Structures are given as structure tokens and as C-alpha cells.
Amino acid sequence: MKAIIDCNSFYCSCERVFRPDLAKSPVVVLSNNDGCIISRSDEAKKFGVGMAGPYFKAKHLIQQHNIAVFSSNYNLYGDLSWRVMETLRTFSDSVEVYSVDEAFIDLSGMATKDIPAFAMQIRNRVEQWTGISVSIGIAPTKTLAKIANHMAKRKKIETQCVKMIATKQEIDAALRETRVEGVWGIGRKNADKLINFGITNAFELSNMREEWANKHLGGVVGTRLIKELNGIPCIEMNDPLETKKMIATTRMFGDPVSDIQNIREAIATYTSRAAEKLRRQHSAASAVSVFIVPKEEDHMSDFHRGSAITAHTNLSSATSITHELIKPAVALIDSLYENGRLYKKAGVMLSGLVPDSSIQANLFEPASKNSNRMLMGMVDNVNFSMRDDVLKYASSGTTRDWKMRQELRSKRYTSRWEELFEVR
DNA sequence: TCTGGGGTCCTAGGACCC
DNA sequence: TCTGGGGTCCTAGGACCC
């Protein structure tokens, strides 16, 4: 059996840990730039606030019901996420962190009858130690565990946030009450397609033939999905130590930008952040790409129109040193920039990642290379302990006119001394 | 002028997830 | 007026090779 542990309305729960006065009242959290709503408490959902909808469209609903609003505070969420995952590791060696607020645990070897009590213990300890409430779904496959988890969330009181589906009857019943668009791996496109075929719930989907799924649901992905729904595990537990194959840092600008100097600063800043992520997993990049997205002039109904303009370069040798990456990145952005045009977003992607085997000072390399590594180590240490960019490259700029809006951000209670929670 | 078949590798783009 | 950011996996199609 496999379990998925999923934090309830994670970002909202994080805000509430330090605002107990909001424990029972509606809360939402906004994306970067205060653009979309990306987390809603149950109370906010009840008032009809939609997921991933633009903030400005929900604003009147939010004001009308006196819903508390926060800009996203990734500093805080990252820290609380780490605490939740560490707590889970006190129960199992096989914790697979799937996202900032979700983890799978492999329960094979445990008697099925013992699992619900074990899960309840996990739920209680995480809540007691971190203040974050979680829901747990348990089933023979990851896809079914996700479905069980949704049921636990939907019926919090009845299930106490823990739901196991193990027998054929339990699984069939769960599949019947799950709509196809709620199945893990079925997005909007495929949901529409399935509904056109007359398949509306997960039970009907599970009865489709694998060849059919192969033809209509994206090849092997589709066949795997059918197997998983039928209790045959195809999505295995991943090695948690696996490193990323690509690293990206991309952002919208707070306001559209036309000045090349501002864009260069943004690119240098994003490159620094990406290089940091690169070093954290002990990799070096052998290719850099950058993109910018012009603000589209015509206001068509679909705001996603106006796509990225990209440039790409292969480096002569892989590196993880920030300034060796900034230089090509800025050169690329210069080649893309058109004077007089207005841009709304830019990004940097590092790929062709290889292990940086010589992350330790290397006797056989030129001294400059070694001192660069030591420099990077120091910069990372300072920036990590303080969080945010205390040390940064001059090319990243100091005024940062282009940076995103975050007007409603809470304090970084757990990672900044001067923002510690105060009790009077 | 006429022009096979099979394989690999790479890239772009689609779909999905949270 | 105002719509995130960071990833993964898969497929199709082009370039190239013999």
C-alpha cells in the first residue's frame, strides 16, 4: 500500500500558524505579483472563491465577505514545508517529497489492518509539531491514493482526514464518486475529450481497455493510468535523491519594462538564483537559455497569447559559477531585445546538467577556478542563513524597479530574527 | 533523370502536476 | 487597468548516418 500525505490548504495554513485569530475565518493567498489566487481555506471556498482565478476578478467577493488576503511568502512556506517533511521522516525511511505540500510514503510490509491507526498517528504528530493539518489517502497505487486523499479532504469530519481504500468494493465505490477531471493525470484537455466519449467518472474510465487509452490518452501515459486505477502499480516510488534535469527561474515584472538595463538586471538576478539551485544539488550546467515575453498590444480574450522569444547557447564547459553563467545569459538577452518594445516577463533556464564532481577545491585546476568555488560557497552560506539576497552581483542591480509586487506579505517569522513572532 | 530502409539523436511543443 | 512559477514526461518530426 501507498500513502499520500497532503497538507490542507497549505499556504493558508502556514499563514494561520502565526495568525491564530484567523483559524476559523476565510483566508486566501496570492501568487507572485499578487496575480492569481493559489490557496484558499475551506471557508473561502464556501464563499465561492475559485482556484487559480485572477485576484482582481475575485476582489469584490473577497471584500464582501471580509476574507483575509496574503501575498505569497515562500520564505515562510519553504521553512514550514521542511518541518512537515522532517516530521514525516520520523515515521518512515521512504518519504518521497512530491511537492512543497505533499509526500508519498511506501507502506508495503505493514499489515493492512494496522495502517489506519498508523496514519492517524502521523496526522496528529504533524499537526502537533508544526501546526499544519494534513489529509492522508491510502491505497494500492499512487493514483488511487490520490483519490482516497480527495475523499478524506471532502469529508473531513467523517474521515478525520484519513481515508484508506483497500478492498475491491471500497475502490469501486471511490471511483464511482470521482469525476474524470478529478483523476490525477487527467487535465482539462483530456477531461473534455473523455466527456465527449461519454466517460464521466473514474469508474467508467477504469473499465476502458488499455489499447483504447494508448490511442486516446497520450500513449503509454494513458495505459499506465488505466492500470493504476485498476490497482496495478505503475508509478513507482522515486528516489528522493534524484537531481533535477533542468533548472529555471522566471518571473513576471511588477510592471511592464522597456529599458534594456532593467531587463539585464532581472536576467542577472534570475541567473544568480538558478545558479544557487544548481549548486545546491551539486550540478553544473552546460547550456543556458533565456526568454522574454513582450506585452501583447492587442487585447484578445486569451491572455496567454504573446509567447516567449527564446535564445539558447551551449557553454564550452559546464559550470556552476554565477558570473560564468551571467555573462552568456546577458549576451543572449541583448540579442533578443528590441528597442522600444514593452516586455512583461523574462526567464533563465539552465540545462545539460552534469554532476559537478569537483565541487571541492581541485588541486589540478587553475587557482582562479578554486577561488571562484570558495567565493560561491561563501555567498551561498550567507544568503542561505539570512535567506534572500544579502550578497548579490552588481549586475543584478540595486533598485530593482522591475521586481514583482508583494503588497500583502506576512512576516518571515521563522527565517529572520527581526521578523520573529512577538508575544506581549 | 531515376533515388531505400532503418536507425539514432536532438529539439520543440503538448499535456500535466502542484 | 489588473491573470504565477517551476518542474516532469512523452511524442512527433527533422537532421543525419550508413
Side-chain angles (χ1 to χ4, degrees):
Chain A
M1 300 288 273
K2 297 183 169 72
I4 179 150
I5 296 95
D6 188 323
C7 301
N8 298 332
S9 310
F10 181 55
Y11 295 169
C12 291
S13 303
C14 291
E15 298 294 347
R16 279 172 161 171
V17 169
F18 294 93
R19 288 290 305 274
D21 56 305
L22 296 175
K24 302 274 181 229
S25 42
V27 176
V28 299
V29 175
L30 307 179
S31 66
N32 273 336
N33 234 7
D34 296 345
C36 299
I37 292 165
I38 52 172
S39 182
R40 307 159 296 155
S41 71
D42 286 341
E43 298 79 9
K45 287 176 198 167
K46 257 180 227 142
F47 286 132
V49 180
M51 183 59 177
Y55 174 43
F56 74 91
K57 280 193 183 166
K59 216 164 188 168
H60 87 275
L61 201 59
I62 285 171
Q63 280 162 354
Q64 184 190 335
H65 296 291
N66 200 19
I67 299 175
V69 184
F70 293 91
S71 297
S72 37
N73 183 347
Y74 291 109
N75 228 300
L76 177 65
Y77 311 151
D79 193 62
L80 292 185
S81 168
W82 175 79
R83 294 174 190 215
V84 170
M85 300 310 169
E86 285 300 301
T87 308
L88 295 181
R89 290 194 182 98
T90 64
F91 288 97
S92 167
D93 294 329
S94 72
V95 177
E96 180 197 334
V97 177
Y98 176 68
S99 74
V100 68
D101 70 330
E102 285 175 60
F104 288 100
I105 291 184
D106 190 359
L107 297 173
S108 47
M110 180 174 275
T112 306
K113 66 172 174 37
D114 297 333
I115 292 178
F118 181 67
M120 202 58 83
Q121 209 187 333
I122 295 180
R123 193 206 70 147
N124 291 340
R125 186 181 296 176
V126 171
E127 182 154 0
Q128 190 186 356
W129 286 8
T130 68
I132 303 289
S133 67
V134 298
S135 296
I136 303 182
I138 304 134
T141 68
K142 284 183 168 179
T143 307
L144 290 172
K146 282 286 232 178
I147 286 177
N149 188 276
H150 287 155
M151 294 175 75
K153 286 200 160 159
R154 229 176 19 244
K155 306 171 183 172
K156 286 204 178 82
I157 305 205
E158 179 191 327
T159 62
Q160 296 186 68
C161 293
V162 172
K163 176 77 185 174
M164 176 163 83
I165 51 175
T167 66
K168 171 104 176 92
Q169 290 87 327
E170 286 167 340
I171 292 172
D172 282 354
L175 291 176
R176 277 182 219 275
E177 62 178 80
T178 303
R179 295 149 55 88
V180 280
E181 61 266 37
V183 175
W184 192 44
I186 299 291
R188 225 190 59 221
K189 281 268 163 58
N190 280 331
D192 286 351
K193 196 188 273 180
L194 287 170
I195 289 163
N196 275 334
F197 277 113
I199 302 164
T200 57
N201 67 40
F203 182 72
E204 291 161 357
L205 179 58
S206 73
N207 285 325
M208 297 308 289
R209 292 191 3 261
E210 286 171 23
E211 303 78 61
W212 183 90
N214 184 63
K215 187 162 170 214
H216 293 107
L217 287 179
V220 298
V221 186
T223 16
R224 224 158 43 190
L225 180 59
I226 301 291
K227 283 206 170 93
E228 281 261 320
L229 287 176
N230 284 287
I232 304 159
C234 300
I235 307 176
E236 284 314 319
M237 300 294 290
N238 285 329
D239 183 354
L241 296 176
E242 226 163 285
T243 52
K244 303 222 183 327
K245 295 162 185 159
M246 176 204 99
I247 285 171
T249 301
T250 74
R251 295 261 184 297
M252 302 277 297
F253 300 128
D255 290 299
V257 168
S258 64
D259 175 42
I260 180 69
Q261 197 48 42
N262 279 330
I263 296 176
R264 284 191 192 128
E265 285 179 14
I267 287 293
T269 306
Y270 303 163
T271 308
S272 308
R273 172 67 13 89
E276 230 174 72
K277 297 180 196 168
L278 192 64
R279 292 192 291 271
R280 200 177 309 149
Q281 65 165 39
H282 305 298
S283 296
S286 44
V288 180
S289 34
V290 304
F291 70 84
I292 37 177
V293 183
K295 182 181 159 62
E296 59 276 32
E297 267 91 47
D298 55 325
H299 270 268
M300 304 298 287
S301 54
D302 185 356
F303 79 94
H304 278 297
R305 271 170 43 97
S307 48
I309 307 167
T310 310
H312 175 268
T313 187
N314 290 312
L315 304 174
S316 55
S317 71
T319 180
S320 64
I321 293 169
T322 301
H323 50 264
E324 291 180 0
L325 292 163
I326 288 184
K327 207 177 290 172
V330 169
L332 286 172
I333 206 72
D334 281 345
S335 74
L336 294 178
Y337 175 77
E338 286 175 47
N339 200 4
R341 228 168 156 184
L342 210 51
Y343 298 95
K344 62 174 183 185
K345 179 177 184 176
V348 176
M349 276 175 274
L350 304 178
S351 54
L353 305 193
V354 296
D356 193 348
S357 47
S358 43
I359 204 88
Q360 303 280 342
N362 185 330
L363 189 61
F364 302 104
E365 285 195 7
S368 66
K369 201 82 179 168
N370 282 335
S371 59
N372 275 333
R373 289 226 169 78
M374 289 169 67
L375 173 66
M376 290 299 108
M378 277 172 52
V379 169
D380 288 346
N381 277 338
V382 171
N383 283 344
F384 181 74
S385 59
M386 303 296 291
R387 314 281 166 141
D388 299 335
D389 289 339
V390 173
L391 289 179
K392 59 192 176 227
Y393 280 81
S395 53
S396 314
T398 48
T399 56
R400 306 203 167 180
D401 299 333
W402 41 268
K403 73 169 195 279
M404 63 192 177
R405 285 188 294 266
Q406 276 193 321
E407 285 159 9
L408 306 161
R409 202 189 65 196
S410 51
K411 292 183 178 180
R412 291 163 287 189
Y413 300 104
T414 61
S415 55
R416 278 295 175 98
W417 287 115
E418 63 274 24
E419 297 181 24
L420 268 184
F421 190 72
E422 287 179 21
V423 181
R424 287 174 225 278

